[in-house]
Amino acid sequence: MKRKQLSDVINTWLKHTEKDKVCETLLCEASNVFKCTQDEGSQRGVCGRLICTNFKIAFLCDEVPDDNTPEFKNKILGENDITLQCVDQLYGVFDDKKKVLISLTALKKVPKKLIIYCKDFRVFNFCLSYSKEEEVKRIVSGIIHHTLSPKLLKRLFLFSYTSAAPCYIATLAKDQTMMFDKHNDWRLELDRTKGNLCYKVLSLNEAYKVSERLPPYFVVPLSLPEECVYKFQGRGIPIWCWSTQNGLALVKMASLPKEVDDFAMQEQRMFLDSVEKTLHRPPYEEVRIEDLSVSLPSLSEIQMSYTRFKQLFLIDNATDFWDTDSKWFSLLESCNWLEIIRQCLKKAIEVIDYLESQRINVVLKEDTASDFCCLIASLVQIMMDPHFRTRHGFQSLIQKEWVMGGHAFLDRCNHLRKNDNEAPVFLLFLDCVWQLVQQYPLAFEFSETYLTVLSDSINIPIFSTFFFNSPCQRDAHKWAEDGLGKQRGPLSFYTVWDWSVQFELKALSFLNNPLYVGKSKLEKSRKAPRSKHQRQLSLPLTQSKTSNKRGFFKEETGPFIKSLLGKRISKLINSSDEVPSNYRVFYENWHRKPVDFHGLILPHIEGPDICPWAQRHLRWIPEAQVMGGGNVAAMQRILELMDEIQSLKKKVKERPNSNHTLAKENDVETRRKKSVRRSSLYPFALLHISSFRPSISTTTWRSWEAGDELVNRDDEYFDLGSI
C-alpha cells in the first residue's frame, strides 16, 4: 500500500502543470534511502526515495504525511527539499570515515552514507546501504555534478523556470517596492529626500554605453558635466546615494585604475581636478573621503571568517553538538565574524558622525563601489532614515544600493561554483541589520523572521533579484531562446519582493513586527528644521567665492585629489589634512539621550551587544532550542494578544449581543493555548522533545544518571502574560 502511495506522490510531483511545464526535469533517483535524524548514533529516521532534478534535491518519504499543515510553510520548497544553489558541501562516509566529495574523479567507490551541508545551515544524513549499487552511483554522481561542478549562467534553473512560467504579473507588494529601474523612481527618491535641489538623474547609460557596471539611471551633482562620466566609464565621479534633512549628502565613488604609468597618473589628476572645479568648493574641500578598502577587512578575510563561523552550526548529530558545547564561545571568538560585524557598524556610526554632528558630506570610496560601499551606505540610511526601516522601504533600499548598485551577487554567492570571488557581503549586511532589529525592535516594521527568509531566498533560483552581477548582465540575458537558438522574446523575471509566491497570506504575518508603531500622519506632515549654514555637495544657487586651496596646476595638490589618489602619489605630495573624528564623543552622547524610534538610532557595539543571529543559525538544531519560549515564541504570543484585542474591540463596536464574534474569540483562545508548546525553533521547525538536553556544559549533563528528572521532563507551562 505504501509503495502505491509513494508512486502516486511521485507521479503527482513530476506531473507538469501549465505553469511550470518542462521547467523541472528529473535527472536521477535512488530508492530505499534512509534519512537519518540527528539523534545520537543516527539510528532513527524514515525511508524513502532520493531525487535530484535541475532545480533541487528532494527526499520523498514512504510514509504518507499527516494533515497537520504547518502555519509557516514555503510553497516552493518543502522541509526535505534543497535547491542546487543551497548545497554548501558534500561528504561521503566510507568505512566509518567521513571524506569531502569534491569531484567525480575523486569518487573511487560508492559511499555508505551521503551528508549534505546546506548554506541555510541544514544538515541532511542519507544512509545508502539499502539501495542498489547502480542507483547509489547514479544519485551520488548526479548530485556532485549538478551542485559542485562549474556551470554556465544560462544553465541555471532561473532561465528554465522563467521561460516556462506565464508572464509575470506584479502584485501590490511588489508595486510598493521601488525597483529603481526607471527614471521616475530616482526622481521620486530625490524629491523625498530633498536632494532634487542639488542633484540630477542621468539617463545616458540607458543602453549601457558608458559602463556595464553602472545602472541605466543614476544621480550625480547638478554641476557635473556629462562628459566627465564618459572619461573613465563612470569611475572617479561622485554618485549620489542619499541626502540628509540638513542638505548634506552621502555619495559613493569607484576608484580610478591603479596600475598606471606616469602619463596615465597625470591624466587622472587632471580629471579629478576638473571634477573638483565643477563642484561647490567650500564643502567639498572639507568633505570626508572614506576609503573602505583600507578601513574594513578584505573580501578574502570575510570569506575565511564566515567559513570558520558556519562550521559552528553545521552539526551532523547531537553527539557533535554536545562535544563542542564547552568550547563553543572560544570557537565563536576565534572565527572573528562578530568582530567584522562590529567593525562595519562602527564604520557606519563614524560616517553618521560626519553627517549628523560635524555637518560635512561623506564620499565612500572603493575599487568598484559595489561591495562595502553598498553595505556602509545601506547601514547609514537605515540608522538615519526611518523610511528604510519599513518593509517596503527596506526592500527599496536593497534595490537601490545593491541590485541596481551593481553588487556582484552571482560571484559573491558563488552560484556558478567558480570560487574566484566568493564573499558573503550581503549576508554580512543582513547580519548587521539583524543586530539593529535585535536592539531596537520598536523601530522596525519587519521581523527577524523576515530577515531569515530573505537570506534563504538568496539561493532560490526562481527570483532574479540575487542572481546577477549587474543590471547590464540581467538585461543581456533576459532574451529567451527556443530549441533552435532563436530569440523568442524578453523574459519577465520574478522578483523576491513578491512574497506571495513563497508564502500564503496566513504565513506572511510572521514577516511583520507586531511591536512596530508607524508615525502618525501629523508627525509625517511636520517638516524638519533645516540648518541656516548648510553645506551642499554641488554648486550653490549663488556664485561661491574662489577657494583658497590650491589645485593640481598650482603649487600643491588639493585635499580632494590627495584623498582619492592616496598612496599612488604619496611621494609627490604631502598627506591630506583629515577631518578630525569625534566618533566616540558623538556615540556616547547619543546613547545618553532618550531613543526616538522614528529618528536616528545607533547600535550598541561593545562586547556582548553583538550576538550570533540565533534564529537563522540555530533553527535546525533541536538541542539548541528554548523549550516553550524564545524570542519568536514571545513575538507570536504578542501577535495573538493583538488579535484578541482587535477581536474585543470589534465585539464592543458591534454590540456584545452578536454571536459571530464568539467563533473568532474561540479561534484566538485556541491559538493562544497552542503557542505554549512552541519553542525558539518556531516557525521553522516543530517541537523536538526527544532530543532535549539542558543548556549547560557537556561534562555536567553527562555525569547525571539517565533517569534524572531534570533531564527527561517535558517543558512546563510558561506564563507569558507579563511580556
Side-chain angles (χ1 to χ4, degrees):
M1 180 66 181
K2 287 185 177 180
R3 292 288 181 186
K4 184 178 184 303
Q5 290 173 336
L6 176 62
S7 178
D8 294 340
V9 171
I10 296 175
N11 291 334
T12 303
W13 180 74
L14 293 175
K15 186 178 180 181
H16 300 298
T17 62
E18 287 298 322
K19 180 179 179 180
D20 55 4
K21 58 183 178 180
V22 306
C23 63
E24 186 170 9
T25 307
L26 178 64
L27 302 174
C28 50
E29 60 180 313
S31 304
N32 298 324
V33 176
F34 189 73
K35 181 189 173 223
C36 309
T37 64
Q38 289 185 316
D39 293 328
E40 298 177 27
S42 298
Q43 298 299 318
R44 295 188 297 173
V46 291
C47 189
R49 180 173 296 188
L50 188 61
I51 291 176
C52 180
T53 73
N54 59 335
F55 171 48
K56 64 188 176 184
I57 302 168
F59 178 77
L60 302 179
C61 181
D62 285 352
E63 300 178 3
V64 180
D66 53 26
D67 296 330
N68 294 329
T69 305
E71 295 180 75
F72 193 73
K73 182 179 182 297
N74 194 305
K75 296 192 292 185
I76 299 174
L77 298 169
E79 61 176 344
N80 292 323
D81 295 340
I82 314 165
T83 64
L84 300 182
Q85 279 68 38
C86 191
V87 175
D88 190 16
Q89 286 180 307
L90 296 175
Y91 290 90
V93 177
F94 305 86
D95 301 325
D96 297 330
K97 292 183 179 179
K98 179 180 172 183
K99 297 182 180 179
V100 181
L101 301 178
I102 302 176
S103 62
L104 293 174
T105 56
L107 189 64
K108 297 181 180 179
K109 60 179 181 179
V110 296
K112 293 182 178 180
K113 183 183 290 187
L114 178 65
I115 303 176
I116 303 177
Y117 284 4
C118 303
K119 293 181 181 179
D120 59 2
F121 300 97
R122 289 182 295 171
V123 177
F124 289 88
N125 288 267
F126 296 110
C127 179
L128 307 174
S129 301
Y130 309 105
S131 303
K132 295 179 181 180
E133 185 175 352
E134 296 79 9
E135 292 185 350
V136 173
K137 287 182 180 178
R138 193 179 303 115
I139 191 68
V140 174
S141 301
I143 291 176
I144 292 176
H145 175 71
H146 293 288
T147 58
L148 302 183
S149 301
K151 53 181 66 66
L152 299 174
L153 178 58
K154 278 285 189 179
R155 293 288 184 180
L156 292 180
F157 183 74
L158 170 69
F159 295 95
S160 300
Y161 183 84
T162 309
S163 299
C167 183
Y168 178 51
I169 300 176
T171 63
L172 181 62
K174 188 259 183 184
D175 287 341
Q176 293 178 357
T177 299
M178 295 179 66
M179 306 302 287
F180 289 95
D181 55 354
K182 298 180 179 63
H183 187 280
N184 189 52
D185 290 349
W186 292 98
R187 287 298 316 167
L188 291 174
E189 183 67 7
L190 282 174
D191 294 342
R192 188 186 69 84
T193 59
K194 304 298 186 293
N196 51 2
L197 300 176
C198 313
Y199 298 91
K200 61 183 177 183
V201 184
L202 293 184
S203 57
L204 49 85
N205 198 41
E206 281 184 323
Y208 302 102
K209 296 178 181 178
V210 177
S211 172
E212 295 182 355
R213 179 185 55 85
L214 294 173
Y217 310 98
F218 55 93
V219 178
V220 297
L222 278 171
S223 55
L224 185 72
E226 294 187 2
E227 302 80 51
C228 290
V229 181
Y230 288 94
K231 182 67 176 178
F232 291 99
Q233 295 184 330
R235 290 177 175 266
I237 63 168
I239 296 179
W240 178 85
C241 296
W242 178 74
S243 291
T244 69
Q245 293 179 345
N246 294 319
L248 303 170
L250 177 68
V251 301
K252 60 185 177 182
M253 181 181 294
S255 303
L256 294 174
K258 295 181 180 179
E259 302 298 330
V260 294
D261 53 22
D262 293 340
F263 176 77
M265 184 182 297
Q266 183 178 4
E267 190 178 24
Q268 289 182 8
R269 289 161 61 181
M270 293 173 60
F271 168 74
L272 292 177
D273 188 66
S274 65
V275 172
E276 180 189 19
K277 288 180 179 179
T278 63
L279 301 173
H280 182 203
R281 291 191 174 186
Y284 218 76
E285 291 287 355
E286 300 178 62
V287 75
R288 173 67 182 182
I289 307 291
E290 281 289 340
D291 192 345
L292 302 180
S293 59
V294 175
S295 56
L296 291 176
S298 64
L299 296 177
S300 59
E301 289 174 333
I302 291 177
Q303 174 61 19
M304 188 182 304
S305 175
Y306 187 72
T307 300
R308 294 196 300 262
F309 173 74
K310 65 185 179 183
Q311 297 305 317
L312 298 174
F313 308 98
L314 294 169
I315 305 298
D316 287 357
N317 51 60
T319 303
D320 292 344
F321 176 84
W322 293 112
D323 284 344
T324 60
D325 185 61
S326 59
K327 53 183 179 181
W328 194 83
F329 283 106
S330 60
L331 294 173
L332 178 64
E333 182 181 5
S334 62
C335 73
N336 207 42
W337 180 251
L338 297 184
E339 178 58 30
I340 292 177
I341 294 174
R342 180 179 288 107
Q343 292 179 33
C344 294
L345 292 174
K346 179 176 178 292
K347 177 57 64 177
I349 296 173
E350 290 176 358
V351 172
I352 293 173
D353 173 32
Y354 290 112
L355 292 169
E356 182 77 9
S357 177
Q358 302 192 39
R359 303 294 178 88
I360 57 177
N361 302 282
V362 178
V363 176
L364 302 177
K365 175 175 169 285
E366 193 184 10
D367 184 23
T368 61
S370 60
D371 287 308
F372 289 112
C373 280
C374 301
L375 192 153
I376 300 302
S378 299
L379 290 178
V380 169
Q381 293 173 68
I382 290 172
M383 294 182 198
M384 297 189 71
D385 193 339
H387 169 69
F388 296 122
R389 301 197 285 267
T390 65
R391 202 169 90 183
H392 294 299
F394 182 72
Q395 294 172 174
S396 300
L397 176 67
I398 293 177
Q399 280 292 139
K400 175 166 69 87
E401 298 297 339
W402 294 84
V403 179
M404 304 307 295
H407 179 67
F409 284 104
L410 191 67
D411 293 339
R412 298 292 181 260
C413 300
N414 197 22
H415 289 315
L416 299 182
R417 301 292 180 179
K418 294 185 178 179
N419 293 312
D420 296 333
N421 302 302
E422 182 179 3
V425 181
F426 186 69
L427 288 178
L428 175 61
F429 163 68
L430 293 183
D431 214 329
C432 292
V433 175
W434 179 84
Q435 306 294 331
L436 293 167
V437 173
Q438 181 77 0
Q439 295 185 25
Y440 300 102
L442 299 179
F444 290 86
E445 187 184 29
F446 50 86
S447 64
E448 67 170 330
T449 302
Y450 168 85
L451 294 175
T452 302
V453 298
L454 180 59
S455 68
D456 293 341
S457 301
I458 296 174
N459 299 304
I460 300 180
I462 286 178
F463 312 105
S464 66
T465 309
F466 306 123
F467 272 84
F468 292 105
N469 284 335
S470 65
C472 177
Q473 188 183 51
R474 180 199 62 197
D475 291 346
H477 289 82
K478 71 179 181 180
W479 293 94
E481 296 179 356
D482 56 18
L484 301 176
K486 297 181 179 180
Q487 292 183 348
R488 291 189 288 113
L491 296 175
S492 181
F493 290 115
Y494 282 67
T495 175
V496 72
W497 310 128
D498 188 356
W499 294 105
S500 62
V501 176
Q502 294 192 63
F503 303 103
E504 300 289 353
L505 183 61
K506 182 179 180 181
L508 290 178
S509 62
F510 288 91
L511 308 183
N512 299 323
N513 177 16
L515 300 179
Y516 175 78
V517 179
K519 294 186 72 173
S520 65
K521 294 182 179 180
L522 179 62
E523 290 175 319
K524 290 181 180 179
S525 63
R526 293 176 183 171
K527 294 184 178 179
R530 299 179 66 88
S531 173
K532 293 182 180 179
H533 304 285
Q534 299 177 21
R535 296 187 179 98
Q536 297 176 347
L537 193 55
S538 60
L539 280 173
L541 299 179
T542 58
Q543 186 66 31
S544 62
K545 295 181 180 180
T546 305
S547 172
N548 55 4
K549 301 287 184 179
R550 297 179 178 178
F552 169 71
F553 293 109
K554 301 181 183 179
E555 295 181 8
E556 67 169 308
T557 302
F560 169 71
I561 302 176
K562 285 194 218 173
S563 300
L564 292 179
L565 292 181
K567 297 180 180 179
R568 287 177 288 167
I569 56 173
S570 59
K571 296 180 181 179
L572 305 176
I573 60 176
N574 298 323
S575 60
S576 60
D577 300 325
E578 294 189 352
V579 180
S581 175
N582 257 346
Y583 150 72
R584 197 69 206 178
V585 176
F586 170 72
Y587 173 79
E588 293 176 353
N589 288 340
W590 185 89
H591 279 286
R592 293 191 186 101
K593 302 175 183 177
V595 179
D596 178 10
F597 294 107
H598 293 288
L600 171 66
I601 58 172
L602 298 181
H604 294 275
I605 58 175
E606 293 88 359
D609 293 320
I610 306 298
C611 310
W613 186 356
Q615 187 191 69
R616 179 173 186 264
H617 303 140
L618 295 170
R619 55 186 158 150
W620 312 118
I621 304 178
E623 293 76 18
Q625 68 182 319
V626 178
M627 307 296 287
N631 291 338
V632 179
M635 283 292 183
Q636 188 62 20
R637 172 63 174 144
I638 294 173
L639 276 171
E640 291 160 358
L641 287 174
M642 293 176 64
D643 285 344
E644 189 173 359
I645 292 172
Q646 294 297 326
S647 177
L648 291 174
K649 286 182 176 179
K650 185 177 179 181
K651 185 176 180 180
V652 171
K653 184 177 180 180
E654 296 180 357
R655 303 298 176 91
N657 295 330
S658 57
N659 296 325
H660 69 276
T661 57
L662 184 61
K664 173 69 175 179
E665 184 177 358
N666 291 336
D667 291 342
V668 172
E669 185 68 20
T670 301
R671 290 200 305 271
R672 185 160 55 88
K673 290 180 180 179
K674 184 178 179 181
S675 67
V676 176
R677 302 295 299 174
R678 294 184 180 124
S679 73
S680 57
L681 300 181
Y682 185 81
F684 294 98
L686 301 177
L687 196 63
H688 295 271
I689 301 293
S690 59
S691 57
F692 170 71
R693 291 291 186 276
S695 299
I696 58 178
S697 65
T698 309
T699 54
T700 306
W701 73 260
R702 280 186 171 174
S703 65
W704 291 349
E705 296 180 0
D708 193 286
E709 179 184 355
L710 181 59
V711 177
N712 295 299
R713 71 182 182 182
D714 289 349
D715 59 317
E716 298 177 354
Y717 178 87
F718 289 90
D719 185 10
L720 301 178
S722 60
I723 296 178

